[in-house]
Structures are given as structure tokens and as C-alpha cells.
Amino acid sequence: MKVKHKGKELDVTPLISEEKIRERLPRLAEEINAAYPHDEVLVLLIVLKGSVIFASDLSRYLKMPTEMEFIRLKSYEGMESTRKIELLMPIPPNLENKNVLIVEDIVDTGRSLAFLRQELRKIQTRSVRLCSLLNKPEAHEDPVHVDFEGFSIGKNFVIGYGLDLDGKYRNLPYIGEVRVPRF
Ligand code: IMP
Ligand code: MG
């Protein structure tokens, strides 16, 4: 398929199929289920907006009682990562003494996550770990440890299953790579 960006039509090639995602989620959830007691609350700190589809699908395989909290960061403009990270929502107030699992769509430069972890250090949580559907290890600039990783991918820009280009295409059921033409 093709998508529009800045007046140009760009090709999207499938990278991770709907079926591959469906197979991976219960296994990823098993890793999380094995890492936490099943009788304690786990707070899913869901990073808006890209993680919403992933988090809602993943959460249904988790065995412990979960709470869902949301946070919104801003870093990306179009297909470029900006240097500045902003918190567009306050950190939820009820994370104290809780196991907190950050749920992200993708770790690219790692700046957003480094920033969020730093913000969370101001609160007395019991633990903070990170689950990300996608990870781009070659793009990391800030060191980020992904505790639970769905898929490791290359540096190319991807859309679908929650991930957007200019706010659109989050509803694609698979993950596709956006091919930027080289001149
Ligand atoms: P980072 O701070 O560079 O790690 O970027 C984190 C955020 O940028 C992610 O949570 C996404 O919202 C967005 N992002 C990074 N790479 C992509 C991509 O390939 N497609 C769509 N959004 C992306
Ligand atoms: Mg995100």
C-alpha cells in the first residue's frame, strides 16, 4: 500500500504480519507473568497514543490484577525524532509502592524512555520495568534496557498496530515499513 507524507506518496511494505503479532503476544505475556507475583497489582503505565492497541491486546493475557494508567509524551515530528521530550500529562498519582510496567510501542533513540524513567525516579515505586512491542537497538542514543521486548527491528520508520505517521495509520492490523525514496 501507499501512504501520504508531506505531499508525497510513500510505499509501505509489510514487516510484521497480523499473525506474527498474534503469536508473539501470549508468549511475551508469559514472560511478564513469570516475572511478577500473580496476587499483586501490576500497574500498566501505557504511553499514549501509540501503545494503546498493543497494551489492550497484551493485557488480556496477563494473570495478575492490573491497573491501567496513561501518560503522554511528545517527541516525534513526522518521521524525525526531535531532541526535546515533553510530558503532556502529569505522572499518575497512584504509582507509589506499586510494581509499574511501562508499556511502549517502540524504543527508537531511547530518549523518551530515559526521560520517563527519570521522572518516575521522583516517586517511590516498588519497581519500574519496561515492555516495548518494538525495539530499534541500532537507533539507541540513550542507554535503555527493554525488559520485555516484542520484536527487534532495524532503523526504518514503521507504522501500524498503533504506530502512526502524522497521526494516521494506527489502525493498520500489521506493522509495515515506510520506504522513503532515495534521490
Ligand atoms: P525515542 O524517544 O526516539 O525512543 O522515540 C520514542 C517515540 O517515537 C515512540 O514511542 C514512538 O511514538 C515514536 N517513534 C519512534 N520510532 C517510530 C517509528 O518507526 N514509527 C512510528 N513512531 C515512532
Ligand atoms: Mg510511543
Side-chain angles (χ1 to χ4, degrees), residues 5 17-18 21-23 32 34 55 62 67 70 72 77-78 92 107 112 114 119 129 132 137 152 166 168 179:
H5 177 61
S17 69
E18 205 176 340
I21 298 171
R22 205 182 310 123
E23 281 170 7
I32 299 168
L62 298 177
E67 290 177 10
F70 299 89
R72 185 144 184 228
E77 307 270 347
V107 178
S112 306
E119 290 297 308
R129 281 193 256 190
S132 187
S152 180
D166 304 330
K168 293 185 282 292
R179 291 281 179 89

Side-chain angles (χ1 to χ4, degrees), residues 45 47-49 51 71-77 80-88 91 102-121 128 130 132 139-146:
L45 184 58
V47 185
L48 294 172
K49 301 176 185 175
S51 310
I71 194 82
R72 185 144 184 228
L73 306 171
K74 189 166 170 56
S75 71
Y76 246 75
E77 307 270 347
E80 307 295 323
S81 180
T82 57
R83 297 259 141 206
K84 220 178 110 219
I85 313 291
E86 288 170 75
L87 211 54
L88 296 182
I91 299 274
I102 301 169
V103 182
E104 253 293 24
D105 51 358
I106 188 164
V107 178
D108 183 31
T109 63
R111 269 186 232 116
S112 306
L113 265 301
F115 171 83
L116 181 56
R117 280 198 185 253
Q118 202 174 340
E119 290 297 308
L120 289 172
R121 261 182 232 121
V128 176
L130 168 64
S132 187
H140 289 195
E141 290 176 17
D142 281 7
V144 177
H145 178 65
V146 182

Side-chain angles (χ1 to χ4, degrees), residues 24-81:
R24 182 72 186 109
L25 291 197
R27 290 160 194 249
L28 186 59
E30 277 318 306
E31 294 176 31
I32 299 168
N33 285 329
Y36 292 98
H38 291 189
D39 57 354
E40 269 177 39
V41 169
L42 178 65
V43 182
L44 303 180
L45 184 58
I46 299 164
V47 185
L48 294 172
K49 301 176 185 175
S51 310
V52 164
I53 291 175
F54 169 52
S56 56
D57 283 348
L58 180 78
S59 68
R60 278 172 273 193
Y61 296 107
L62 298 177
K63 300 264 167 64
M64 64 292 284
T66 65
E67 290 177 10
M68 290 189 183
E69 294 294 345
F70 299 89
I71 194 82
R72 185 144 184 228
L73 306 171
K74 189 166 170 56
S75 71
Y76 246 75
E77 307 270 347
M79 296 181 30
E80 307 295 323
S81 180

